[in-house]
Amino acid sequence: VSVSTQAPGTRSSMGGGLGSLELEGVPLPSAVSWLWDVPSPAVFLDFESDYAVNARLEGPESLEDAAVRRFLQDALKASLGITVREETRELDVFVLTLSTSAGTPRPAPPDPESRMKHMSGWGRRLLGVGSAASAAQALSEGTDRIVVDETGLEGEFSFDLEWADEASRASAFASVGLSLVPARRNVSVLRVTL
């Protein structure tokens, strides 16, 4: 396990494999977001962070992803002298709900290859296979707000939605029986302090 810091603004990357995880040149809020598996808009720093994080863990291939993250979480807190705690805040969010329009999310194809696709959201696209909750988390990464899943849907679905603006986003979500609307909610966030 190793943790270090560097000047921000350089190229950043995150990746991993069986029993390993590596962050290079990642801004602190993004590092916390990734290691604690929460959307970026759910991370709040109580201080100005003027550095990027390098963190690396290499363990046996049998080491589960959750254990890898826990080890790196502890290393990050100890090395940087930070505390990360969960709290509830009332925030402006987007709510993912069932729409009144025709159409429903399509169940994910059962073939193993499609089930391995991770859900990704890049601000103007939602692509992958997963639950409504994982879709909400992926959508949070592409916006400046947390997306809360209030669909009540269970199971996994296949998503491939793309939009150019707010109107086409509404249309894209309606085509699969969903809507994404602004609201205020009490949500769980991570507060990072020194």
Side-chain angles (χ1 to χ4, degrees):
V1 179
S2 66
V3 175
S4 63
T5 60
Q6 67 180 50
T10 57
R11 188 180 70 89
S12 67
S13 64
M14 295 183 271
L18 295 175
S20 68
L21 196 57
E22 184 171 6
L23 289 74
E24 183 180 341
V26 178
L28 180 59
S30 298
V32 170
S33 166
W34 205 46
L35 291 176
W36 272 260
D37 196 24
V38 300
S40 298
V43 176
F44 292 87
L45 270 60
D46 278 2
F47 56 94
E48 291 293 324
S49 170
D50 58 352
Y51 55 83
V53 174
N54 301 315
R56 182 177 181 192
L57 181 141
E58 282 192 44
E61 289 185 1
S62 60
L63 193 60
E64 294 182 5
D65 183 57
V68 171
R69 287 177 188 266
R70 277 194 309 273
F71 282 130
L72 270 181
Q73 288 171 6
D74 291 343
L76 193 74
K77 290 188 290 186
S79 297
L80 303 179
I82 59 173
T83 301
V84 180
R85 70 173 174 265
E86 191 174 326
E87 64 183 34
T88 301
R89 290 189 184 186
E90 184 179 4
L91 298 173
D92 291 323
V93 300
F94 285 112
V95 174
L96 183 65
T97 64
L98 296 176
S99 76
T100 56
S101 303
T104 57
R106 299 162 295 168
D111 64 280
E113 196 173 307
S114 70
R115 289 199 175 276
M116 293 300 290
K117 291 181 183 174
H118 294 288
M119 190 72 67
S120 299
W122 301 290
R124 296 187 187 274
R125 187 167 191 194
L126 176 67
L127 176 66
V129 173
S131 65
S134 66
Q137 182 160 346
L139 287 165
S140 295
E141 294 304 330
T143 69
D144 60 350
R145 295 186 190 186
I146 296 171
V147 177
V148 178
D149 171 32
E150 293 184 1
T151 62
L153 294 172
E154 296 183 11
E156 291 193 328
F157 303 91
S158 178
F159 294 96
D160 188 358
L161 305 176
E162 198 165 2
W163 57 93
D165 52 33
E166 196 171 321
S168 60
R169 180 183 71 198
S171 176
F173 278 81
S175 73
V176 292
L178 298 173
S179 65
L180 193 64
V181 294
R184 269 190 86 74
R185 294 287 188 275
N186 285 317
V187 292
S188 179
V189 300
L190 292 180
R191 181 179 174 196
V192 184
T193 58
L194 282 174

